[in-house]
Amino acid sequence: MSISFMVGPHRVRFAGKTDIGLVRAHNEDSLLIPREMALAVVSDGMGGHAAGDVASRITVETIDQHYRDTARSGQNTWPFKLPSLEIEKQRMSVAIQLANSNIFQTAAVDGSKKGMGCTVDAIYFNQGRFFIGHVGDSRVYRIREGRIQMLTEDHSLLNDYLRMKELSGDEGVHFPQKNVVVRALGLADQVNVDVIADAFKVGDVYLLCSDGLSGMLDDPVLLEIITARDSLDTSCNELIKAANDAGGGDNITAILCRIEKP
């Protein structure tokens, strides 16, 4: 069931769903649907690594806890009367770096979890802006005025090759290491976090998803499914179904966030 929060004069509505898919033995994805504030998180435990589900769960729980702690203490706004752009960007970056540290330390004391890792995309809405924290190849898209735009950049070997123009788009489709991630949480004691901030508009829809969704469905299909329905819950269900119909080769997670009038 969708949930909404007032963010200034706007309402932000959230819905999300995760699914094991048709191939994996268990679900290593984790997600956070907001409980106390307009914060959502998708984390994909890295396939082939030990305890990916543990890593993704630690990530979601750490980010959630950091935001609740800083909201109660006021540390995210002091010494300013209102949250500033740089303070909120730093808040997002610190939350994800804390998650990385918690995963790394957990693996260091438990040999069965050595090498575990995960990707993360988190989004927080405040003061007319969204703040995205991103590591890995999970994605955030924005649907605005009938167009879909990927806001994040994949931290993947495939994307590195495409960016250096060593592969064409067609070659990328058949690239044998397309699922290799070059940046993730938990693999080192520190991690670089991409933080994106911009203004939101009424009518915007934001999609956070693991690569089990984006790897199965092209952008036009994502756009068609999301814009064809008013219910975010129904759209999430349809996205999962379409990814499974396309093969369901990985765990599938989707969160939708829509900016509405109050």
Side-chain angles (χ1 to χ4, degrees), residues 52-154:
D53 55 335
V54 175
S56 67
R57 186 170 63 251
I58 289 172
T59 293
V60 166
E61 292 174 351
T62 301
I63 295 171
D64 182 33
Q65 188 65 53
H66 177 73
Y67 267 81
R68 287 189 282 124
D69 288 346
T70 52
R72 283 193 291 265
S73 69
Q75 294 175 3
N76 60 308
T77 61
W78 184 90
F80 303 97
K81 293 182 180 180
L82 293 174
S84 73
L85 176 64
E86 292 305 316
I87 287 173
E88 288 296 353
K89 288 170 69 174
Q90 184 70 9
R91 188 184 187 192
M92 177 63 77
S93 179
V94 169
I96 294 176
Q97 290 177 44
L98 284 172
N100 178 77
S101 178
N102 287 345
I103 296 167
F104 188 77
Q105 291 175 14
T106 299
V109 298
D110 184 347
S112 68
K113 296 179 177 60
K114 183 178 180 180
M116 70 177 176
C118 64
T119 70
V120 65
D121 274 311
I123 191 166
Y124 176 62
F125 298 90
N126 192 17
Q127 296 295 316
R129 295 188 179 101
F130 65 81
F131 299 86
I132 294 170
H134 167 69
V135 178
D137 63 351
S138 294
R139 293 179 176 180
V140 180
Y141 293 87
R142 177 175 61 197
I143 293 89
R144 174 179 287 177
E145 298 174 353
R147 294 185 294 273
I148 187 168
Q149 177 187 6
M150 188 169 73
L151 299 179
T152 53
E153 181 175 332
D154 292 348

Side-chain angles (χ1 to χ4, degrees), residues 200-253:
F200 59 72
K201 295 181 179 181
V202 171
D204 283 355
V205 178
Y206 297 84
L207 167 66
L208 287 70
C209 64
S210 61
D211 67 337
L213 182 70
S214 59
M216 291 288 105
L217 304 178
D218 293 337
D219 292 3
V221 177
L222 297 174
L223 177 63
E224 180 182 3
I225 292 172
I226 293 168
T227 57
R229 297 154 182 83
D230 289 331
S231 167
L232 296 186
D233 290 300
T234 301
S235 294
C236 284
N237 290 334
E238 290 298 318
L239 288 169
I240 299 293
K241 180 180 183 300
N244 277 325
D245 288 346
D250 201 350
N251 307 144
I252 311 159
T253 301

